[in-house]
């Protein structure tokens, strides 16, 4: 079964599909290690981690595709990528879909913002005409080579035109061939329920940080969203925000150690060397070494002792 078919089956399955947001090798490995089979590649997270820029359209197509290719290569997750606006008109959207599919994504999201776009929960969004987005989606659907590859259509019109326009557009996008529908920055549970009940395809909702309230969409559990009729929930800001919080804490602990001259042993604030290697796949590397290195290569690498766990060795670089 292709990754696209896996993703499609999960979207149309009886239970809500939970997709943590991944943005690099660390987050991707961790999500898979935690038991998830699918994830959303967050465009904001890729922009922030890869080029150090806020999500306002400063990252280009090639940088985005390169990130997706690396993320897809290091996991077995069924990945839904963030294709922003498709980086131009319908012809660009066609090309964008081809590139993301070739990079290993199982689906891609396209939105109806004007380029340069911005995070859906920021002020200052602008949207293109509906008919232009419909043509982008028609081109996107035709571009895929795997019929199961998911085309997710996003509208940002709630902030600019109101709920009626959201419903009108999502229905038009579904008719154009979109498989998964997404209205970003809905303001309350009733709006979510209304959209889910008035569109013909599965609905996705953005829960942002996942474990912290924000000023736009209210914080709801996956179970609550399923009760509202939602098929997919994404958490694009969860791991980026948690990673920054952890790094911030680590630097603060280090700063205190420098200031007071005392070593700080804080296993509660950092993974162990062994845990890190486990998550990043060291066991698979060791298994390959056992199968393919010659006896002399193993002795040269590890000495005359029985070849054991590298991650548990004494020399930790």
């Amino acid at each position: 079964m292709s990754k696209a078919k896996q993703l499609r089956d999960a979207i149309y399955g009886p239970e809500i599909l939970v997709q943590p947001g991944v943005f690099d090798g660390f987050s991707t490995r961790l999500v898979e290690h935690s038991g998830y089979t699918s994830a959303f590649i967050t465009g904001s997270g890729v922009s922030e981690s890869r080029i150090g820029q806020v999500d306002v359209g400063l990252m280009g197509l090639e940088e985005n595709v390169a990130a997706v290719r690396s993320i897809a290569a290091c996991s077995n997750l069924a990945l839904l990528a963030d294709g922003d606006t498709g980086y131009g008109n319908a012809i660009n959207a066609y090309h964008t879909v081809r590139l993301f599919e070739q990079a290993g994504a199982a689906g891609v999201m396209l939105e109806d913002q004007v380029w340069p776009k911005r995070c859906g929960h920021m002020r200052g969004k602008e949207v293109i005409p509906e008919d232009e987005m419909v043509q982008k989606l028609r081109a996107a659907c035709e571009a895929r080579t795997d019929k199961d590859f998911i085309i997710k259509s996003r509208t940002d019109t709630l902030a600019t035109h109101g709920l009626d326009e959201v419903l009108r557009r999502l229905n038009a996008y579904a008719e154009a061939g979109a498989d998964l529908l997404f209205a970003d920055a809905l303001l309350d549970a009733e709006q979510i329920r209304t959209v889910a009940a008035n569109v013909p395809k599965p609905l996705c909702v953005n829960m942002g940080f996942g474990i912290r309230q924000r000023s736009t969409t209210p914080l709801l559990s996956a179970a609550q969203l399923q009760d509202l009729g939602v098929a997919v929930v994404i958490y694009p800001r969860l791991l980026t925000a948690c990673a920054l919080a952890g790094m911030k804490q680590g630097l603060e602990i280090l700063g205190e150690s420098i200031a007071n001259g005392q070593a700080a042993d804080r296993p509660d604030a950092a993974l162990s060397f062994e845990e890190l290697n486990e998550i990043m796949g060291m066991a698979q590397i060791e298994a390959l070494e056992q199968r393919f290195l010659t006896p002399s290569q193993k002795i040269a690498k590890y000495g005359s002792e029985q070849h054991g766990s590298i991650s548990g060795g004494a020399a930790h670089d």
Side-chain angles (χ1 to χ4, degrees), residues 25-26 81 101 108-109 171 175 198 207 250 261 281 294 309:
F26 278 129
E101 187 175 5
V108 66
M109 179 178 76
N171 276 274
E175 187 176 349
N198 288 281
M207 272 294 111
T294 66
S309 171

Side-chain angles (χ1 to χ4, degrees), residues 220-265:
L220 300 168
S221 70
Q224 288 173 311
L225 289 169
Q226 181 168 313
D227 289 343
L228 294 173
V230 175
V232 180
V233 55
I234 59 173
Y235 298 89
R237 297 282 185 174
L238 172 64
L239 294 183
T240 54
C242 288
L244 282 172
M247 288 188 281
K248 183 172 179 285
Q249 181 188 31
L251 289 172
E252 289 170 350
I253 294 170
L254 179 62
E256 291 171 2
S257 172
I258 293 170
N260 62 32
Q262 300 296 316
D265 186 8

Side-chain angles (χ1 to χ4, degrees), residues 85-86 88-97 110-112 128-144 151 153 169 171-178:
T85 66
N89 63 19
I91 311 308
N92 297 89
Y94 183 101
H95 180 63
T96 294
V97 169
L110 298 174
E111 63 195 67
D112 59 9
I128 62 175
E130 177 189 316
D131 60 348
E132 183 179 342
M133 184 61 182
V134 164
Q135 291 300 98
K136 281 189 179 186
L137 291 170
R138 289 182 60 199
C141 291
E142 187 171 318
R144 56 189 168 188
I151 302 297
S153 63
R169 288 205 180 206
N171 276 274
Y173 299 166
E175 187 176 349

Side-chain angles (χ1 to χ4, degrees), residues 194-206:
T194 297
V195 174
N198 288 281
V199 294
K201 299 282 184 71
L203 180 69
C204 175
V205 167
N206 175 0

